[in-house]
Amino acid sequence: MLYYVYGITVIATIKNGTVSNMALGGIQCQNCMNVVIKNITIDGLNRENTAIYTVPVGILASGSKSVLIKKCQVKNINVKTGSTAAIQLTETLSSKVTNCHVTNLLNRDGACTGIGHLLCDVAEVNGCTVDTIKSEFIDNLNTEGHTAIGIVPVGSTNLQIKNCTVSNIT
């Protein structure tokens, strides 16, 4: 089941469960406030679409305020798309990603990100591990690149990354 929260949601808590074998996403929160995502495992995303720029994401918070992602695990992503991410925050104010684990991400024809922040303000990543991320190139030119990166802050301000480990990135 895909957990999808949309709109101005106040105090949304998603906790203690597993989302398995999805195509495009595990949990998506858009335009939300006071969101807590805790003790969730996202196990397997398997999208194939290079004709249209597609970004499968294990956990996504977009356009939101006050987001806590804690003790979550995202693993076994195997896609062929323009880009993919295990945990992605976009245009989010005041977020924390703590004690999360990302393992075994593969994008067979595009970019691959462990934990990403795009246009965020006041964000913290603490105590997280990112292990075994791989990007390959077959023939997809409809992508931002073929790069694997553990933790990616882009166009963000007041971001702290501490006590994290990143390993086996190819």
Side-chain angles (χ1 to χ4, degrees), residues 75-95:
K75 60 183 181 176
N76 302 323
I77 293 178
N78 185 338
V79 297
K80 183 181 175 187
T81 61
S83 185
T84 192
I87 299 171
Q88 179 69 47
L89 293 103
T90 303
E91 297 180 315
T92 296
L93 174 63
S94 186
S95 65

Side-chain angles (χ1 to χ4, degrees), residues 78-125:
N78 185 338
V79 297
K80 183 181 175 187
T81 61
S83 185
T84 192
I87 299 171
Q88 179 69 47
L89 293 103
T90 303
E91 297 180 315
T92 296
L93 174 63
S94 186
S95 65
K96 290 184 179 181
V97 179
T98 61
N99 299 311
C100 291
H101 303 283
V102 174
T103 56
N104 298 323
L105 275 64
L106 171 63
N107 191 342
R108 289 175 279 114
D109 214 1
C112 196
T113 301
I115 300 171
H117 287 79
L118 175 62
L119 303 173
C120 294
D121 188 24
V122 188
E124 179 182 312
V125 180

Side-chain angles (χ1 to χ4, degrees), residues 7 23 31 34 38 40 42 60-62 72 82 87 94 114 117 126-127 135 137 140 143 147 154 158-159 168:
N31 303 319
N34 302 320
K38 183 179 177 183
I40 295 291
I42 307 296
L60 171 66
S62 179
C72 292
I87 299 171
S94 186
H117 287 79
N126 189 0
S135 174
F137 176 74
N140 181 20
T143 181
T147 304
V154 176
N158 301 305
L159 176 64
N168 300 310

Side-chain angles (χ1 to χ4, degrees), residues 137-158:
F137 176 74
I138 297 172
D139 60 6
N140 181 20
L141 300 176
N142 186 26
T143 181
E144 59 198 30
H146 294 82
T147 304
I149 303 176
I151 299 173
V152 182
V154 176
S156 295
T157 54
N158 301 305

